[in-house]
Amino acid sequence: MEKDSGDVRDVLTNLYSNSTANRYIAATVLALVVVFSYTGYDTLVYRHDVIQNYAEDNEWLVSFETVNDTLQQTVVLQDEESRDLEFDMAGFSVPDDYRIGYIEVQITGEESAGLVSGNQCDSIAGDIVRNELTAQWDDPSNNLSGQDSSCVPIDLRLGVYPDFDGEDRTVQSINEYQALMDWTEEGWGEGFLVLTLELDTNSNTPFIGVDDDEEITIDINVVMFRASVEAIE
Amino acid sequence: MAELESMTPVAAIVCILLGCTSLLLLKRSPNRGWIDQMGGMMLGWIILFMGLGYAAKAVREALWETDVDLDFFRYTQHSFGLISIILGASFTFFYPYPIMQKASRIKTAPYFVGVLSLILIVTMLLLDYRYMGAIQILYIPGFIILISVYFRFLTDEINNGDETARRLSFAAGLIIIALHGAEMTWWLAQLISINDEFIGRSAIASGVGDYSRIPTWIGYNVMTTIGAVATLTLAAGETWRAQVKGMSGFTIIIYLILGVGLISGIADYAVLDIVNSCMYTVCNDFPESYNIWYTFTTDALVLLFTPLISMYVLLNFDVVDSGSEENRWLTRIIVILMLLIISSTMIELLQSFLPVSQMISSAILAMVVAIFIGWEERIMQKLIEQGESISKKLSSLKEINEPDLDTTELDFFSKAMASLLVFTVILCFLYSSIT
């Protein structure tokens, strides 16, 4: 057979004609096989198994443990008076790992509290004033203003933490950390809660005398939560 | 600190420019042997397809945050990248030591590359490129051929005193760097088997479902293994040669890659917590210094120095007739142009994170220009004088067949690749319009 016949077998015979070189080539191929074997095990077996846990988002049950901190303040308003009350949110004690979920405010007049019997109900209005307090001001579940003249307490509500309603929920994410990530944000509920109260008395009740003021009690309930997750099998 | 700009547009310009010029120079070099003709054409088309792929990628990077539909560019980027891989894997069967030497086999090369490319382009398109990484497996036979050529002729040079044998081992070594340069800088990370953690991070960050396919991961592991083994075997071979013959430029390049890989491996190990953060918390960003290191080593090697290495192969191994008066001016222009584009890019990159004023960087660029102009004659003269076709060496060994092929038959390869290019663009355009 001619040395330069061009046949693949002859070409390969020529290429591998040096026995010393062949030993180095064999060692290189062996090295390829060895390195591919153990790195291949790490990549294709071990890492692939690890990654498969994240192949589809896992389902997690997020549940909330809540605690409350309350504050009560009583003010006396004169007839036709309007007054702003300011509450520093830093005054509420938030335990470690807890976030403020929402704020509930109850405004109760003395008649509705049963303090003065037989008197006609005064008209009380209360608003949570939109300001720099970091909260969900546009949340549809908010109740930022209320008015009553039938001796029923006024309940107001301001959502503070995004999407928090205290109910357990199911989320999908690749790990526990990311499942909890939406519930560990800092900075919500910082600032001042400002309430505006207005009073309009009904003073024409016979035998009682002139009713030209009202003692109003404000109860502020700050609901705080800590989220925990559990994998759903 | 300013953000590091992408090198992709520069790589696109350099590759397209070099690809077109080398094909043009080859056309003007009629008296080349069939190995040079075939090798040059394949190399030219590899660089051109790489450049077109980079151009599509550069458009995607530039318009990433806009509303423009980028599907066409995504398809073309992957399709051209795929063709360049198939061409790169086939190239090693023809250059520097042609395994396929019979006329019939040489004639089937364009059909083989064309048909395989079309099949894989359509398959990958339909599978949304989920198994794209698996294509890298095609590099295995080529690597074994190249490393065989390297050791065969290195041994001939050292043990048998054949000084001209260096030409072939040098060419094989350069082509290994051109094809596997990026993975060669990850040799330590692969040896200590931490590359899988980086693959895992990419998988999670990119949406696990699409990227955790076993064939793709086999492809990645093949490439990183080839890179690690290539670095170590070339380093061993060059150390052996350096002990007998002294250091050469190629030895220094291999040691540089070895050193870069060593530092990269240590850096990779140091950021493993960040790599694994994707799994246990959220994907944290790598430190800025880590990104800068990779921009100046792996990225620069792939995007800027691979075209330079290809240009060096074309000129130093006399693939194109750079000595003829007709080609000389074009060769000079392209050499100077490429060196300047790459130098200015590197200076711009340096300026983006070093507190160097524009006046200083302009002065450095002016110095580089002056050096290149001053040395241009000498660099070119040296390249052309040293240039000796490897086919002459193989002929002297009687290890090359001279098949009965005329230029038209060899030129068919270029026509087939041009048709493939047009077909790919039309296919990608149609597919992006339909989906």
Side-chain angles (χ1 to χ4, degrees):
Chain A
M1 200 179 292
E2 283 289 322
K3 218 182 170 189
D4 57 351
S5 67
D7 191 79
V8 173
R9 195 181 301 168
D10 294 340
V11 173
L12 292 177
T13 307
N14 289 335
L15 180 59
Y16 296 106
S17 59
N18 186 322
S19 59
T20 314
N22 289 351
R23 281 203 291 274
Y24 299 133
I25 296 164
T28 306
V29 174
L30 184 67
L32 267 181
V33 173
V34 170
V35 176
F36 183 82
S37 302
Y38 72 83
T39 56
Y41 176 82
D42 280 354
T43 307
L44 305 171
V45 181
Y46 173 72
R47 189 61 48 188
H48 192 261
D49 284 350
V50 170
I51 294 302
Q52 282 314 300
N53 293 329
Y54 307 103
E56 287 171 14
D57 280 353
N58 298 312
E59 263 197 325
W60 304 86
L61 177 70
V62 182
S63 49
F64 303 100
E65 191 182 313
T66 56
V67 292
N68 298 13
D69 191 14
T70 56
L71 182 146
Q72 190 177 65
Q73 187 172 337
T74 305
V75 292
V76 177
L77 259 65
Q78 300 300 312
D79 185 23
E80 310 251 321
E81 183 186 348
S82 171
R83 191 184 301 176
D84 284 343
L85 300 173
E86 204 173 71
F87 302 91
D88 186 355
M89 292 303 292
F92 294 93
S93 80
V94 183
D96 287 347
D97 298 334
Y98 280 78
R99 270 94 187 152
I100 296 176
Y102 53 87
I103 302 166
E104 290 173 328
V105 178
Q106 191 171 60
I107 301 163
T108 315
E110 57 191 321
E111 285 90 0
S112 46
L115 294 175
V116 180
S117 59
N119 204 349
Q120 241 190 12
C121 295
D122 292 335
S123 176
I124 303 168
D127 297 320
I128 296 176
V129 181
R130 187 170 186 142
N131 63 357
E132 299 300 313
L133 172 66
T134 50
Q136 307 309 305
W137 290 101
D138 298 315
D139 191 323
S141 67
N142 283 346
N143 182 19
L144 299 181
S145 63
Q147 200 228 346
D148 177 71
S149 53
S150 53
C151 299
V152 174
I154 301 166
D155 289 318
L156 303 178
R157 184 188 190 278
L158 171 64
V160 173
Y161 200 93
D163 297 327
F164 177 76
D165 57 8
E167 297 294 320
D168 291 355
R169 60 187 65 210
T170 306
V171 295
Q172 291 192 320
S173 76
I174 65 166
N175 58 35
E176 189 177 331
Y177 181 91
Q178 290 182 28
L180 266 179
M181 215 163 64
D182 286 344
W183 304 103
T184 52
E185 288 176 23
E186 301 284 348
W188 293 110
E190 289 176 359
F192 288 88
L193 177 73
V194 178
L195 295 176
T196 302
L197 298 179
E198 282 176 47
L199 177 70
D200 188 8
T201 59
N202 282 316
S203 57
N204 53 353
T205 312
F207 315 114
I208 298 296
V210 177
D211 177 20
D212 60 355
D213 63 7
E214 177 87 1
E215 187 178 279
I216 298 171
T217 305
I218 300 113
D219 288 295
I220 298 175
N221 180 27
V222 177
V223 178
M224 292 160 280
F225 71 92
R226 182 174 66 182
S228 58
V229 290
E230 197 181 321
I232 299 172
E233 294 301 326
Chain B
M1 190 183 290
E3 200 179 324
L4 282 174
E5 283 188 51
S6 171
M7 279 186 276
T8 318
V10 181
I13 295 168
V14 168
C15 288
I16 293 172
L17 210 62
L18 181 65
C20 293
T21 317
S22 52
L23 289 172
L24 189 68
L25 284 171
L26 211 65
K27 192 94 182 148
R28 291 169 159 197
S29 312
N31 300 322
R32 304 285 95 185
W34 74 268
I35 301 178
D36 296 323
Q37 194 80 8
M38 195 68 187
M41 258 190 304
M42 289 183 107
L43 199 55
W45 280 104
I46 292 169
I47 300 164
L48 188 57
F49 277 117
M50 271 169 57
L52 293 170
Y54 289 147
K57 189 182 173 191
V59 173
R60 287 181 71 200
E61 284 177 353
L63 303 175
W64 187 251
E65 286 175 340
T66 64
D67 295 332
V68 180
D69 183 8
L70 297 171
D71 277 354
F72 170 72
F73 297 102
R74 179 168 166 258
Y75 299 148
T76 46
Q77 179 196 336
H78 289 307
S79 301
F80 289 141
L82 200 146
I83 299 171
S84 66
I85 291 173
I86 294 167
L87 272 172
S90 314
F91 175 64
T92 50
F93 285 84
F94 293 94
Y95 200 89
Y97 191 96
I99 303 296
M100 306 295 173
Q101 295 192 10
K102 280 201 163 176
S104 57
R105 292 183 201 279
I106 298 164
K107 282 182 201 167
T108 51
Y111 297 105
F112 174 78
V113 172
V115 171
L116 185 64
S117 298
L118 284 179
I119 291 170
L120 288 175
I121 285 170
V122 174
T123 312
M124 290 297 152
L125 205 62
L126 295 174
L127 293 172
D128 201 27
Y129 303 103
R130 283 182 198 136
Y131 300 101
M132 189 69 179
I135 307 294
Q136 317 264 17
I137 296 168
L138 293 174
Y139 277 125
I140 298 174
F143 174 69
I144 293 172
I145 292 169
L146 287 173
I147 211 73
S148 302
V149 174
Y150 176 77
F151 275 121
R152 151 82 198 281
F153 289 96
L154 185 75
T155 314
D156 277 358
E157 183 194 6
I158 295 171
N159 284 356
N160 307 336
D162 181 359
E163 296 296 326
T164 54
R166 175 61 173 169
R167 190 145 282 275
L168 270 134
S169 61
F170 182 32
L174 277 177
I175 293 165
I176 289 174
I177 298 176
L179 293 178
H180 307 289
E183 293 80 13
M184 285 175 75
T185 61
W186 303 336
W187 68 267
L188 182 58
Q190 181 66 1
L191 275 194
I192 58 175
S193 194
I194 57 171
N195 277 333
D196 63 301
E197 301 192 41
F198 286 83
I199 293 173
R201 178 190 167 95
S202 312
I204 292 176
S206 320
V208 176
D210 285 351
Y211 290 87
S212 65
R213 313 282 176 179
I214 286 283
T216 296
W217 286 25
I218 292 174
Y220 291 155
N221 206 44
V222 162
M223 282 305 280
T224 42
T225 302
I226 285 177
V229 172
T231 309
L232 296 178
T233 48
L234 289 178
E238 286 306 303
T239 306
W240 181 33
R241 186 181 181 276
Q243 282 175 342
V244 181
K245 304 273 176 188
M247 296 280 272
S248 68
F250 185 65
T251 314
I252 293 166
I253 290 171
I254 293 296
Y255 285 164
L256 268 176
I257 294 174
L258 195 72
V260 165
L262 183 71
I263 297 169
S264 296
I266 295 166
D268 289 347
Y269 190 80
V271 297
L272 279 186
D273 281 348
I274 295 173
V275 172
N276 289 323
S277 63
C278 276
M279 273 177 275
Y280 306 115
T281 57
V282 285
C283 295
N284 296 318
D285 290 336
F286 289 117
E288 193 65 28
S289 52
Y290 181 83
N291 291 332
I292 289 171
W293 169 257
Y294 270 100
T295 303
F296 278 90
T297 52
T298 308
D299 289 356
L301 182 66
V302 175
L303 298 172
L304 301 181
F305 293 108
T306 300
L308 272 187
I309 293 170
S310 309
M311 185 184 76
Y312 186 81
V313 170
L314 287 170
L315 296 178
N316 193 54
F317 298 107
D318 219 13
V319 176
V320 293
D321 187 9
S322 50
S324 78
E325 274 307 313
E326 199 183 359
N327 288 346
R328 211 177 165 89
W329 66 271
L330 190 59
T331 316
R332 280 181 169 179
I333 288 172
I334 200 72
V335 168
I336 295 287
L337 200 63
M338 282 187 57
L339 289 173
L340 281 178
I341 290 172
I342 288 163
S343 311
S344 60
T345 308
M346 296 303 278
I347 291 167
E348 278 293 314
L349 277 174
L350 273 172
Q351 202 185 18
S352 65
F353 71 95
L354 281 182
V356 179
S357 76
Q358 275 201 332
M359 281 176 74
I360 294 174
S361 65
S362 304
I364 295 171
L365 187 60
M367 285 191 313
V368 172
V369 173
I371 290 168
F372 282 148
I373 292 172
W375 278 9
E376 182 268 326
E377 184 77 32
R378 206 171 151 185
I379 295 168
M380 283 302 299
Q381 204 60 41
K382 209 171 173 186
L383 274 175
I384 294 163
E385 274 172 8
Q386 281 185 346
E388 192 193 6
S389 168
I390 53 160
S391 54
K392 286 182 188 163
K393 171 66 189 165
L394 290 175
S395 293
S396 70
L397 290 172
K398 293 193 175 174
E399 290 188 21
I400 187 157
N401 180 37
E402 290 297 343
D404 189 19
L405 283 168
D406 58 37
T407 319
T408 330
E409 284 169 312
L410 285 170
D411 279 348
F412 179 71
F413 186 86
S414 270
K415 287 173 187 153
M417 290 305 106
S419 311
L420 183 63
L421 195 159
V422 174
F423 186 84
T424 306
V425 172
I426 294 170
L427 184 71
C428 292
F429 179 74
L430 277 178
Y431 195 73
S432 62
S433 312
I434 294 165
T435 54

